[in-house]
Amino acid sequence: MEDFFIPVHIDPENKNPTYTQYVYQWDYGLYLKITGVDIPNNTPVAFSNHDVCGNALRMIATTSDGVTTVKIPDILLADQEFCFGNLSVYAWITLVGESGSKTIYKIVIPVHSRPKPEDYTDPGTDDPFADTIEQVKQYADQAEQSAADAETARTGAEKAYHDTIEAVDQIKEDQISMAEKIAIKPTATGTDIVAEDSTDWRLLDLSAQGWTEQTVT
């Protein structure tokens, strides 16, 4: 996919037209990939095979992370006039506001002529808002995925909370069960702890603290 993007780096201090690498007549599906300048999203770009006079086709550029992309209209690269020599496609980037518009950058795309491919299909007219619509769809998909991720995280947090509560409850139950199996009896020398295991009752007296171990029958 990257092969279909024609890189163009615009120097904001240079007011002369910026030239790209050349493309061939009959190419299609090509995009300008513009860097070096800050171009607002959804900025209109006018394309034409003529440097002066005539009409221009308007396409809508999309900008993301400082990179602006805009489709080169396929129909311009299929112009029969290129058969008479190498010409160019011109692009004008225009800022549009409520009170007017201003052309701020000009890009020249050299086009080398070549014979028409036998299997070439007329591309028809490009939808100037196609990329904008696709970008909106991508944003919607990203938002939907973010919502799904958030729901997954919430469900995971709830499960972790309930698992923790269950673990705490189980520890409490184990402690109560253990306490019930231990009998504490006073003696002349201190306190005897009688613990029950799977075979019998044993009297545990820790020698370091004056306890002795003996079997209770």
Side-chain angles (χ1 to χ4, degrees):
M1 183 64 178
E2 192 66 25
D3 293 337
F4 296 96
F5 286 86
I6 309 302
V8 51
H9 183 82
I10 298 178
D11 181 357
E13 302 300 325
N14 182 12
K15 300 306 178 182
N16 295 319
T18 301
Y19 284 75
T20 73
Q21 67 190 56
Y22 67 83
V23 299
Y24 278 100
Q25 181 187 14
W26 310 114
D27 288 349
Y28 61 92
L30 302 184
Y31 288 77
L32 289 179
K33 184 177 181 180
I34 305 168
T35 57
V37 290
D38 185 16
I39 299 175
N41 194 33
N42 297 329
T43 293
V45 180
F47 287 88
S48 177
N49 285 344
H50 303 282
D51 191 16
V52 294
C53 301
N55 296 318
L57 298 177
R58 188 182 70 164
M59 303 295 289
I60 303 299
T62 58
T63 299
S64 177
D65 297 328
V67 178
T68 299
T69 58
V70 61
K71 191 174 188 299
I72 302 172
D74 294 332
I75 194 170
L76 295 184
L77 296 177
D79 194 329
Q80 295 289 345
E81 290 186 12
F82 289 119
C83 294
F84 301 102
N86 298 331
L87 300 175
S88 297
V89 170
Y90 303 90
W92 294 268
I93 301 173
T94 306
L95 290 182
V96 178
E98 295 181 358
S99 58
S101 65
K102 179 183 179 181
T103 302
I104 53 175
Y105 301 112
K106 178 181 178 180
I107 299 172
V108 181
I109 310 164
V111 181
H112 287 194
S113 61
R114 72 179 183 98
K116 181 178 180 180
E118 183 179 10
D119 58 350
Y120 183 83
T121 301
D122 185 357
T125 303
D126 290 287
D127 181 358
F129 295 96
D131 293 325
T132 302
I133 294 173
E134 181 61 28
Q135 186 182 57
V136 171
K137 289 181 180 178
Q138 291 177 0
Y139 288 157
D141 292 342
Q142 291 172 0
E144 184 177 351
Q145 183 60 47
S146 297
D149 292 343
E151 177 63 22
T152 300
R154 184 187 66 81
T155 302
E158 289 182 352
K159 184 178 185 304
Y161 170 78
H162 291 301
D163 290 347
T164 302
I165 295 300
E166 291 178 0
V168 172
D169 291 341
Q170 185 61 49
I171 291 173
K172 291 180 179 179
E173 292 179 3
D174 293 343
Q175 291 175 340
I176 294 173
S177 177
M178 181 63 68
E180 291 175 347
K181 290 182 179 182
I182 297 176
I184 301 178
K185 302 192 319 181
T187 65
T189 60
T191 303
D192 292 338
I193 299 178
V194 181
E196 180 184 18
D197 60 19
S198 60
T199 57
D200 57 12
W201 287 85
R202 300 183 63 81
L203 179 62
L204 302 179
D205 190 341
L206 301 179
S207 59
Q209 303 179 20
W211 301 87
T212 59
E213 179 178 339
Q214 51 188 300
T215 302
V216 179
T217 58

